[in-house]
């Protein structure tokens, strides 16, 4: 069961671990954009530190996060710690100090040092996260996000969201709700420069797509809102993914041909 006090508890944890190096904690994703569902959503967080984390700090944060994750929705907490020096001016792909998500916990339990080694590096997804934090994020601690995060070049954002859907034809039957709605919001950005949640992406898709794919989008939206499992027609789902990827590739080509917008709006 999701604990609404989780974001505040997470800030307290960051202050405990990072002390005076903590410069900001930011919420993004569905909880920040008003379409959170405890059955289908996770809690998306970015932590900004003035200094690199020590091994002891990382282990301390991981142990406490495992406990906090029990108060999270079913999909858990997804969190990255980044250094302030990479936020403004923005660096792409963005280096990160530590990443946490439930899918990687078996590795942590088996070999904490291997986990710490793997859960640092660079992550193209952070371009999308920083963009959405600037656009629609919630500041839990520190300076307001638009004052703290430098502008993200729109080409970096486009590349980030494109990388996130490239495997959609393989993913759409295994993770249909996420994949269908995500394809819609990526295409909405490329065609109209809109920065949308998954739910808003699906709503955009309903207004712009035609039969039979609009029915698939409507099914994904119903399941996203209700938390019910989605069991799509596999042939239809693969056809949808193939068509959307074709539209997205064309959109990416036009975006780069036109030079995009220098920075996000």
């Amino acid at each position: 069961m999701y604990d609404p006090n989780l974001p505040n508890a997470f800030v307290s944890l960051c202050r405990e671990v990072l002390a005076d190096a903590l410069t900001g904690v930011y919420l993004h994703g569905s909880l920040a954009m008003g379409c959170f569902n405890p059955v289908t959503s996770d809690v998306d967080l970015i932590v900004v530190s003035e200094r690199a984390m020590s091994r002891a700090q990382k282990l301390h944060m991981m142990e406490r996060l495992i406990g906090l994750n029990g108060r999270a929705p079913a999909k858990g907490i997804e969190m990255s710690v980044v250094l302030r020096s990479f936020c403004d001016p923005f660096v792409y792909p963005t280096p990160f100090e530590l990443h946490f998500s439930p899918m990687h916990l078996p590795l942590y339990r088996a070999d904490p040092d291997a986990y710490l080694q793997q859960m640092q590096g660079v992550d193209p997804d952070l371009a999308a996260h920083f963009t959405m934090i600037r656009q629609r994020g919630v500041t839990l601690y520190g300076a307001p996000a638009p004052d703290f995060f430098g502008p993200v070049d729109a080409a970096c954002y486009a590349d980030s969201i494109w990388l996130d859907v490239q495997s959609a034809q393989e993913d759409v039957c295994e993770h249909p709700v996420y994949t269908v709605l995500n394809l819609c919001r990526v295409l909405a950005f490329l065609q109209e420069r809109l920065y949308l949640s998954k739910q808003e992406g699906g709503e955009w898709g309903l207004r712009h797509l035609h039969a039979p794919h609009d029915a698939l989008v409507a099914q994904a939206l119903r399941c996203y809102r209700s938390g019910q499992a989605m069991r799509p027609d596999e042939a239809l789902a693969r056809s949808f993914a193939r068509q959307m990827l074709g539209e997205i590739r064309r959109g990416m080509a036009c975006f780069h041909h036109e030079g995009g917008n220098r920075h996000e709006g």
Side-chain angles (χ1 to χ4, degrees):
M1 182 66 68
Y2 172 62
D3 178 0
N5 195 49
L6 176 63
N8 292 331
F10 179 79
V11 170
S12 296
L13 166 60
C14 293
R15 296 182 70 178
E16 174 186 320
V17 173
L18 296 172
D20 64 347
L22 179 65
T23 53
V25 181
Y26 301 91
L27 180 70
H28 63 104
S30 59
L31 193 55
M33 293 190 283
C35 52
F36 177 77
N37 182 326
V39 178
T40 57
S41 302
D42 53 14
V43 176
D44 298 297
L45 296 149
I46 295 292
V47 180
V48 183
S49 176
E50 194 72 39
R51 298 187 296 274
M53 297 179 72
S54 67
R55 176 180 179 275
Q57 285 177 310
K58 291 180 179 182
L59 290 173
H60 184 182
M61 180 166 273
M62 286 298 302
E63 289 300 321
R64 289 289 308 279
L65 272 172
I66 290 171
L68 276 185
N69 197 61
R71 297 161 60 180
K75 289 185 67 177
I77 295 169
E78 182 156 350
M79 176 232 54
S80 292
V81 180
V82 300
L83 295 182
R84 180 176 183 174
S85 57
F86 301 127
C87 296
D88 189 11
F90 174 70
V91 174
Y92 183 78
T94 312
F96 65 98
E97 287 285 295
L98 179 67
H99 180 74
F100 175 92
S101 70
M103 69 179 292
H104 299 299
L105 280 179
L107 172 60
Y108 178 77
R109 293 189 171 108
D111 189 339
D113 283 316
Y115 178 96
L116 295 184
Q117 185 64 33
Q118 290 189 31
M119 293 299 124
Q120 63 179 2
V122 297
D123 184 2
D125 283 351
L126 288 167
H129 299 339
F130 284 19
T131 298
M132 296 308 291
I133 286 172
R134 278 178 51 87
Q135 293 278 334
R136 304 176 63 183
V138 175
T139 301
L140 300 178
Y141 178 89
D147 298 337
F148 190 83
F149 289 86
V152 175
D153 191 295
C156 297
Y157 177 73
D159 185 64
S160 176
I161 60 176
W162 163 237
L163 290 172
D164 196 37
V165 298
Q166 282 185 339
S167 60
Q169 279 191 261
E170 294 74 38
D171 298 339
V172 70
C173 292
E174 186 174 356
H175 306 289
V177 173
Y178 178 88
T179 305
V180 168
L181 301 183
N182 206 29
L183 285 166
C184 290
R185 68 173 171 178
V186 171
L187 190 58
F189 171 76
L190 291 171
Q191 292 189 351
E192 299 186 22
R193 303 299 186 264
L194 299 175
Y195 297 89
L196 305 178
S197 67
K198 288 192 290 292
Q199 178 174 303
E200 291 165 343
E203 291 164 352
W204 180 92
L206 284 182
R207 295 193 299 270
H208 291 80
L209 302 177
H210 304 292
H213 293 150
D214 57 345
L216 185 74
V217 175
Q219 182 186 8
L221 274 173
R222 286 195 303 272
C223 292
Y224 181 82
R225 290 166 175 155
S226 68
Q228 295 179 332
M230 181 177 175
R231 297 179 176 83
D233 177 277
E234 290 196 8
L236 179 61
R238 294 187 192 282
S239 168
F240 172 81
R242 184 168 55 251
Q243 177 177 311
M244 292 292 283
L245 285 173
E247 292 288 338
I248 289 168
R249 288 189 185 96
R250 286 189 286 274
M252 287 291 291
C254 291
F255 180 86
H256 289 298
H257 177 73
E258 295 167 1
N261 299 315
R262 178 62 183 168
H263 296 113
E264 89 276 10

